[in-house]
Amino acid sequence: MNPELSMHLSNSTTIRRRHLLALAAAALPAASFAQPSAAGAWPDKPLRMFVGYAAGSGIDTAARQLAHRIEVLAGQPVVVDNRPGALGNLAAQAVAAARGDANTILFTPNSTHAANIHLFKKLPFDPVKDFAPVSSVATLGFVLVGDPKTVNVTSVKELVTALRREPGRWAYGTGNATGLVAGAMFKTLTGTDMLAVPYKSVPPAMTDLMGGRLQLVFADATLAIPLVRAGKLRALAVSGSHRMAALPQVPTMAEAGVPKYDLTAWFAVFQPAGVAPEHNARMASLVQRALQDPQLAESLRSIGAEPESSTPAELAQRVTTDTARWGALVKLAGIEAE
């Protein structure tokens, strides 16, 4: 056969085959060609994570670390929206108002879902009815810190002596619910008095502390640890029942001479009520998988937080249990709802 004719026939056969395959493909359902991960995948657009404290705060730091891991796992951006004020209530209110929107999430400490109901006469949301629990993220201790340039005490016992010797001279800053209760508990259990100065978040309180406008701050560990390590602040005690791995030389309040003092906070993720159950389960899976990342776990521990995931049901139970517990703590601290 003529080589040119042979090549022509071969090309014609190839073209006919391609044409037939294209016709067959057109006759099949489009879904049969979809990638498995793309069929009904969620999230399918950016997520918005509300944080009730200022950028640079310890809570914000932990939130952004988690947001980054979720971005990698979900393949969607996670935009952090800071809404500082009212001990986290502003951010919680924004999320509660987004009922049914699974792409809106709240990263919050226990203040909005356990403590604030005892600190405010009325909340702009219902901590149980307006939210779908997702997962716990971490537990966190607090550190009582002072500026060594202006505070000449090196222990809690020395502090108590100074407070009793000079009543009315000392002021401490608080930037969240746990810090507020921590200071009030300290005053109640030691029989001392200090002026509480409220801030929208902890960073500005720390700025005023190092500027000599405050004597003490009950600071979340995420902010206190680097400043203590750098020698800029002096840590007198930690608030929990155990010493922190990141500050092993700093005693607990009980060890430092304040028996029965035990106060820790927790971080968790919530969605607004009304989200589809499968989207709630998917978000819980994303958070749980993120916390299995050794780098994230180590990063949280380095700032004084201990990673701790949960199921949505377990977080719901935690809210119930801790609401009662924080009610007792607020009562012990002698704080009246505002």
Side-chain angles (χ1 to χ4, degrees):
M1 183 181 294
N2 186 308
E4 293 183 1
L5 178 60
S6 176
M7 181 176 294
H8 173 74
L9 291 175
S10 176
N11 289 340
S12 298
T13 300
T14 300
I15 292 171
R16 283 197 301 272
R17 285 176 178 170
R18 289 176 178 171
H19 181 64
L20 289 172
L21 286 171
L23 291 174
L28 291 174
S32 65
F33 287 89
Q35 294 295 323
S37 60
W42 185 89
D44 54 0
K45 61 181 181 179
L47 298 167
R48 192 176 185 185
M49 177 185 285
F50 283 83
V51 179
Y53 297 87
S57 63
I59 295 167
D60 174 75
T61 299
R64 290 177 187 274
Q65 290 176 348
L66 179 65
H68 173 68
R69 276 21 178 239
I70 292 176
E71 282 186 346
V72 173
L73 292 170
Q76 291 290 342
V78 180
V79 180
V80 176
D81 190 333
N82 296 93
R83 297 287 181 91
L87 301 182
N89 287 348
L90 299 184
Q93 183 178 9
V95 173
R99 184 178 177 85
D101 182 3
N103 291 73
T104 297
I105 57 179
L106 174 68
F107 184 99
T108 187
N110 50 271
S111 56
T112 57
H113 283 71
N116 286 358
I117 195 169
H118 306 291
L119 299 172
F120 293 84
K121 290 182 178 178
K122 186 176 181 180
L123 292 179
F125 55 85
D126 187 305
V128 176
K129 295 180 181 179
D130 289 339
F131 297 89
V134 174
S135 174
S136 296
V137 174
T139 56
L140 181 74
F142 273 57
V143 187
L144 174 57
V145 292
D147 187 341
K149 298 190 300 294
T150 57
V151 176
N152 60 354
V153 298
T154 59
S155 69
V156 169
K157 288 183 179 180
E158 290 181 5
L159 173 61
V160 170
T161 299
L163 289 171
R164 290 172 177 167
R165 184 176 60 244
E166 302 175 287
R169 172 184 175 271
W170 297 71
Y172 68 96
T174 65
N176 49 45
T178 305
L180 177 64
V181 174
M185 277 181 62
F186 182 86
K187 292 190 293 184
T188 298
L189 293 175
T190 60
T192 57
D193 190 30
M194 293 184 287
L195 174 65
V197 182
Y199 291 82
K200 286 186 176 181
S201 60
V202 179
M206 300 291 264
T207 298
D208 279 359
L209 174 65
M210 291 186 286
R213 290 176 286 276
L214 294 171
Q215 284 71 51
L216 302 163
V217 170
F218 287 84
D220 44 314
T222 52
L223 288 178
I225 288 170
L227 294 171
V228 171
R229 286 176 171 171
K232 294 181 179 180
L233 292 179
R234 176 181 291 138
L236 300 179
V238 298
S239 66
S241 59
H242 302 285
R243 295 193 181 200
M244 292 182 184
L247 293 174
Q249 77 282 9
V250 180
T252 65
M253 279 287 188
E255 291 174 330
V258 188
K260 299 181 181 180
Y261 197 111
D262 180 10
L263 188 69
T264 54
W266 45 262
F267 296 155
V269 172
F270 295 83
Q271 290 171 303
V275 302
E278 62 271 23
H279 292 168
N280 180 248
R282 167 67 170 157
M283 180 55 65
S285 175
L286 288 170
V287 175
Q288 292 159 5
R289 288 167 59 197
L291 290 169
Q292 292 172 2
D293 183 336
Q295 290 185 340
L296 175 58
E298 180 56 33
S299 180
L300 289 171
R301 289 190 179 101
S302 71
I303 57 176
E306 184 61 32
E308 183 180 297
S309 66
S310 73
T311 65
E314 288 169 341
L315 177 55
Q317 181 57 50
R318 180 174 225 165
V319 168
T320 299
T321 301
D322 262 31
T323 296
R325 175 174 174 266
W326 277 85
L329 290 172
V330 169
K331 185 177 180 180
L332 172 64
I335 298 175
E336 295 291 334
E338 296 181 358

